[in-house]
């Protein structure tokens, strides 16, 4: 996506999409009209088994965004039906991430925070109803037989020998499963959508599992249960219990929709729900280049200490992006730009980086940082003296004020701002050659100086550059404009600069699609994804507060690290460079 296109897309946000078209139609038709209820109720249903990532952010921005724009509400529902993998730690971080992104599940003094585990009693009741009415049965086949008898794409399945066992027998077995009389895997409750469901071309209709035995401790219900409902069973019924109107999921659930509809319709016929009932809609998931997003792979990076944790600034997790310096607004902007559709595709990482730049450019205070320092000595400037220089905090916002920093005899400049033998078009520091004087440049917001020489060490490395300054050239003073120079160089005073640890983050992978097509993603890590330097910053940066973001002139956007910064001693993370230089 080009930048111009990005800008156009956000000019009249929120942009329309197929889901908004469906909702508009439903509003006009009164599809979900119910007394005392908003006509749009969405939900974000994470499983508390890991940290949220940028893909989840798409779903969060979409679901909460639709609720906001249509004066409805969005529920946060923990889909906690896999006790072995889930934990309170994940519940807490997920709530934090949703709030940080700028959304709330509270409305009109009500909290719409739900847990599928709160519905375990009701779900069990509905399961008994299904058994009693011939819509479900207990299957006692071995796991291998069950898999074998499922058939596959193009081959119909075979009915389980237990499919037609008497209702009373299934009911007793199911109750005994609940009572803990059986071991994990001994029996399973399956749906019977129709007599010939096992030959349905849609594999998910072939007697899907509803409940399995798991003698496991649940982070909320403890040891109350040893049978747990399956996701495909829990999800539609939870939607119905919460009066969800539009249940949005990713495309891989398209095949599950017939079961979703059948289950809700069957339970509604049984008097468990009143119409109108929820409807499921599918959208493409977010695939972002240069990252992996599967929870399993992210966990691998953490467990194998390839990154420092879930919040490593190179991780595509919400906590990682936050620590990296991304703003909630930039992530919302990104989600707005990528939109929603039914077409699978890849979004380039530069779209996310561009959203950050567009968000921060108008609001980030500017500061000067010298990342790879080289000493500059102003030989004709008196030792011990200091002249105050000022510059705007933001070039386009005079209301943000000015900052002041001293000009002294010794300064730091970037190593790349000096060239002993300049290439064509190089307008920074170059030494005198023969009777040719050295180059003249302006030290930004300070004086014009002329290069008079330089020093080298035994290895030929340049260790200092010498200049003379012109007293009447100070920026902002009368006559300063009489000096015409082509270079404008950033610098900080060596006497007062703040030495700070700066972490130059880059993309975690070198390959745009590190885990596509069965590639070994760990072989494609970017070895230069983190470089740590000691930089010299203008002295005011000592007051930077954790999570405060800046544009370091010419270097990009940086944030004071929320974990490692100490009062008066911030550590900075680079969020992104000023321009997209990848692949160029
Ligand atoms: P798992 O890898 O455990 O299956 P998941 O990514 O499906 O995880 P969930 O916690 O089940 O994670 O996801 C919560 C919600 O976020 C779901 O509604 C899911 O559709 C949505 N979601 C997850 N990944 C993406 C993605 N890449 N793009 C858009 N939505 C996503
Ligand atoms: Mg999932």
């Amino acid at each position: 996506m080009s930048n111009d296109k990005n800008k156009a897309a956000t000019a009249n946000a929120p942009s329309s999409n197929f889901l908004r078209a469906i909702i508009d139609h439903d509003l006009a038709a009164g599809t979900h009209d119910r007394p005392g209820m908003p006509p749009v109720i969405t939900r974000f249903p994470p499983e508390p088994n890991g940290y949220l990532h940028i893909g989840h952010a798409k779903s969060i921005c979409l679901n909460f965004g639709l609720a906001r724009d249509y004066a409805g509400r969005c529920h946060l529902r923990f889909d906690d039906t896999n006790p072995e993998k889930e934990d309170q730690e994940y519940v807490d971080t997920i709530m934090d991430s949703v709030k940080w992104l700028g959304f709330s599940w509270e409305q009109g003094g009500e909290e719409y925070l739900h847990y599928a585990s709160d519905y375990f009693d009701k779900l069990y009741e509905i399961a008994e109803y299904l058994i009693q009415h011939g819509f479900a049965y207990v299957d006692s086949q071995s796991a291998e037989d069950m898999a074998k008898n499922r058939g596959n794409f193009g081959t119909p399945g075979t009915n389980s020998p237990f499919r037609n066992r008497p209702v009373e027998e299934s009911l007793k077995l199911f109750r005994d499963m609940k009572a803990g009389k059986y071991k994990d895997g001994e029996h399973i409750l399956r749906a019977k959508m129709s007599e010939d469901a096992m030959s349905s071309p849609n594999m998910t209709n072939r007697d899907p599992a509803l409940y399995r035995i798991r003698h496991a401790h649940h982070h909320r219900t403890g040891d109350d249960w040893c049978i747990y409902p399956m996701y495909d069973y829990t999800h539609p019924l939870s939607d119905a219990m919460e009066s969800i109107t539009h249940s949005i999921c990713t495309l891989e659930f398209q095949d599950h929709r017939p079961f979703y509809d059948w289950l809700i319709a069957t339970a509604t016929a049984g008097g468990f729900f009143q119409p109108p009932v929820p409807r499921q809609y599918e959208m493409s998931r977010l695939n972002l280049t240069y990252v992996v997003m599967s929870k399993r792979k992210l966990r691998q990076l953490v467990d194998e200490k390839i990154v420092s944790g879930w919040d490593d600034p190179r991780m595509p997790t919400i906590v990682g992006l936050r620590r990296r310096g991304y703003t909630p607004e930039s992530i919302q902007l990104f989600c707005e730009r990528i939109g929603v559709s039914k077409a699978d595709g890849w979004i380039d990482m530069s779209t996310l980086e561009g959203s950050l730049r567009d968000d921060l450019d108008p609001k980030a205070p500017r500061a000067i940082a010298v990342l790879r320092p080289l000493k500059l000595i102003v030989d004709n400037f008196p030792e011990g003296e200091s002249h105050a220089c000022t510059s705007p905090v933001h070039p386009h916002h005079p209301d943000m004020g000015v900052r002041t920093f001293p000009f002294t005899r010794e300064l730091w400049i970037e190593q790349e701002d000096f060239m002993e033998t300049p290439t064509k078009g190089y307008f920074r520091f170059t030494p005198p050659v023969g009777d040719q004087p050295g180059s003249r440049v302006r030290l930004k917001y300070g004086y014009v100086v002329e290069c008079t020489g330089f020093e080298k060490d035994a290895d030929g490395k340049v260790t200092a550059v010498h200049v003379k300054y012109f007293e009447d050239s100070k920026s902002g003073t009368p006559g300063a404009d009489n000096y015409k120079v082509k270079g404008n160089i950033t610098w900080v005073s060596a006497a007062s600069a703040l030495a700070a640890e700066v972490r130059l983050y880059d993309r975690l992978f070198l390959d745009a699609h590190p885990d596509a097509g069965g590639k070994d993603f760990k072989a494609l890590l970017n070895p230069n994804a983190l470089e740590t330097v000691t930089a010299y910053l203008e002295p005011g940066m000592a007051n930077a507060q954790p999570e405060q973001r800046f544009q370091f002139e010419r270097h990009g956007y940086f944030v004071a690290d929320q974990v490692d910064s100490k009062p008066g001693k911030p550590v900075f993370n680079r969020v992104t460079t000023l321009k997209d230089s990848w692949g160029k």
Side-chain angles (χ1 to χ4, degrees):
M1 213 191 264
S2 82
N3 251 336
D4 291 353
K5 214 162 146 199
N6 283 346
K7 290 208 173 89
T10 44
N12 25 22
S15 45
S16 195
N17 59 51
F18 78 98
L19 289 168
R20 287 179 187 271
I22 288 168
I23 292 175
D24 290 337
H25 172 269
D26 287 342
L27 289 178
T31 313
H32 293 283
D33 284 358
R34 288 161 300 186
M37 296 282 252
V40 176
I41 306 179
T42 55
R43 85 286 169 269
F44 173 64
E47 185 180 352
N49 65 351
Y51 284 68
L52 297 182
H53 53 60
I54 184 74
H56 295 113
K58 172 177 176 177
S59 177
I60 292 169
C61 291
L62 176 68
N63 282 296
F64 283 93
L66 288 172
R68 174 196 60 211
D69 297 343
Y70 286 96
R73 66 175 190 241
C74 180
H75 298 190
L76 175 61
R77 181 198 312 142
F78 288 100
D79 179 35
D80 53 349
T81 54
N82 267 318
E84 293 106 325
K85 291 189 186 155
E86 297 162 2
D87 199 87
Q88 186 62 36
E89 174 197 354
Y90 302 126
V91 170
D92 295 339
T93 167
I94 289 171
M95 292 206 278
D96 271 357
S97 289
V98 173
K99 278 192 222 158
W100 179 75
L101 278 171
F103 299 105
S104 170
W105 50 87
E106 195 239 77
Q107 206 185 66
E110 285 280 334
E111 294 244 6
Y112 295 95
L113 174 63
H114 300 284
Y115 296 83
S117 54
D118 287 341
Y119 308 138
F120 280 174
D121 285 324
K122 192 84 183 166
L123 294 168
Y124 179 82
E125 202 188 318
I126 296 174
E128 283 210 352
Y129 170 85
L130 295 178
I131 298 170
Q132 278 159 344
H133 291 79
F135 296 122
Y137 65 98
V138 171
D139 194 355
S140 310
Q141 294 183 97
S142 67
E144 301 79 69
D145 283 347
M146 222 174 298
K148 199 173 71 203
N149 290 335
R150 229 178 136 227
N152 50 44
F153 197 71
T155 316
T158 311
N159 284 352
S160 162
F162 303 98
R163 199 174 197 253
N164 291 318
R165 73 188 345 161
V167 163
E168 284 312 316
E169 192 179 310
S170 273
L171 198 58
K172 176 162 191 329
L173 281 167
F174 189 51
R175 288 177 179 166
D176 287 346
M177 282 164 65
K178 175 176 185 259
K181 295 196 183 165
Y182 299 107
K183 290 200 284 289
D184 289 9
E186 266 188 272
H187 303 284
I188 192 164
L189 184 71
R190 298 178 76 179
K192 199 197 280 185
M193 290 172 72
S194 66
E195 280 315 312
D196 59 357
M198 284 304 289
S199 49
S200 169
N202 181 344
M203 294 283 291
T204 55
N205 290 356
R206 296 185 186 175
D207 294 9
L210 306 182
Y211 267 89
R212 77 271 199 227
I213 303 170
R214 279 280 182 286
H215 290 273
H217 187 83
H218 187 282
H219 69 105
R220 294 189 78 242
T221 59
D223 298 312
D224 291 355
W225 294 86
C226 62
I227 55 170
Y228 288 95
M230 303 298 290
Y231 172 84
D232 274 349
Y233 176 71
T234 310
H235 193 77
L237 297 179
S238 304
D239 280 351
M241 285 187 241
E242 292 175 22
S243 303
I244 300 301
T245 57
H246 301 80
S247 177
I248 302 162
C249 59
T250 43
L251 281 177
E252 60 288 10
F253 288 96
Q254 199 158 347
D255 283 352
H256 300 228
R257 183 161 16 105
F259 180 67
Y260 181 101
D261 290 339
W262 174 85
L263 181 60
I264 293 179
T266 306
T268 301
F272 290 96
F273 308 113
Q274 299 298 315
V277 295
R279 291 192 188 172
Q280 173 180 308
Y281 300 96
E282 306 87 20
M283 59 154 184
S284 61
R285 60 193 300 122
L286 169 64
N287 296 311
L288 189 63
T289 58
Y290 297 99
V291 298
V292 293
M293 266 201 281
S294 118
K295 278 183 207 159
R296 187 176 55 80
K297 290 172 188 162
L298 293 173
R299 186 183 305 280
Q300 227 174 315
L301 295 173
V302 174
D303 289 348
E304 294 175 23
K305 304 214 172 352
I306 293 168
V307 295
S308 65
W310 288 98
D311 70 345
D312 186 296
R314 294 165 292 179
M315 290 281 272
T317 50
I318 305 294
V319 287
L321 292 167
R322 174 177 180 177
R323 194 166 168 199
R324 173 74 168 260
Y326 276 90
T327 57
E329 294 82 2
S330 65
I331 295 175
Q332 288 188 30
L333 180 60
F334 169 73
C335 291
E336 190 62 48
R337 284 176 178 177
I338 60 176
V340 282
S341 78
K342 281 182 146 329
D344 262 323
W346 287 86
I347 300 292
D348 199 85
M349 187 55 151
S350 59
T351 307
L352 180 61
E353 294 161 345
S355 299
L356 189 271
R357 293 184 192 109
D358 291 345
D359 178 45
L360 283 189
D361 181 41
K363 62 188 188 199
R366 279 18 181 195
I368 290 177
V370 174
L371 300 183
R372 298 174 206 282
L374 171 62
K375 188 60 80 62
L376 186 87
I377 302 164
V378 189
D379 291 304
N380 62 340
F381 193 87
E383 202 122 17
E385 220 173 273
S386 160
H387 293 178
C389 298
T390 58
S391 78
V393 171
H394 192 287
H396 309 304
H397 294 294
D399 51 298
M400 287 173 77
V402 293
R403 42 193 234 269
T404 306
F405 38 86
F407 186 95
T408 53
R409 182 180 155 92
E410 295 202 353
L411 310 172
W412 294 112
I413 59 166
E414 294 288 347
Q415 289 163 16
E416 65 176 23
D417 287 345
F418 174 81
M419 267 184 118
E420 184 179 351
T421 319
T423 50
K424 196 162 176 282
Y426 187 82
F427 297 120
R428 291 172 266 172
F429 288 109
T430 57
V433 184
D435 52 8
Q436 242 341 75
S439 64
R440 274 189 190 188
V441 303
R442 175 169 295 283
L443 291 167
K444 204 171 176 187
Y445 314 118
Y447 294 94
V448 170
V449 296
E450 183 180 301
C451 186
T452 52
F454 63 101
E455 296 170 36
K456 265 187 189 176
D457 65 11
D459 301 328
K461 188 172 179 281
V462 177
T463 53
V465 175
H466 289 267
V467 297
K468 63 178 182 198
Y469 88 116
F470 301 97
E471 227 182 318
D472 56 350
S473 68
K474 189 161 184 242
S475 289
T477 60
D481 291 347
N482 295 338
Y483 290 85
K484 299 290 175 216
V485 291
K486 285 190 176 153
N488 204 1
I489 301 292
T490 51
W491 55 276
V492 291
S493 154
S496 63
L498 174 76
E501 178 178 331
V502 175
R503 298 161 181 171
L504 304 173
Y505 288 106
D506 204 340
R507 296 177 184 178
L508 186 53
F509 293 97
L510 290 172
D511 192 289
H513 310 106
D515 58 349
K519 276 187 272 188
D520 173 13
F521 68 101
K522 285 190 288 174
L524 298 167
L525 287 159
N526 176 2
N528 302 319
L530 168 58
E531 184 191 359
T532 303
V533 298
T534 299
Y536 290 110
L537 313 181
E538 63 177 74
M541 283 296 98
N543 301 320
Q545 299 302 304
E547 291 208 78
Q548 206 182 345
R549 298 169 184 87
F550 299 90
Q551 185 195 103
F552 288 171
E553 292 191 28
R554 72 193 259 209
H555 293 302
Y557 294 96
F558 292 73
V559 68
D561 188 80
Q562 67 187 114
V563 178
D564 296 326
S565 294
K566 304 269 180 314
K569 212 172 167 15
V571 169
F572 288 92
N573 301 331
R574 180 170 70 197
V575 201
T576 184
T577 50
L578 285 182
K579 285 199 189 88
D580 179 19
S581 56
W582 259 75
K584 292 198 178 106

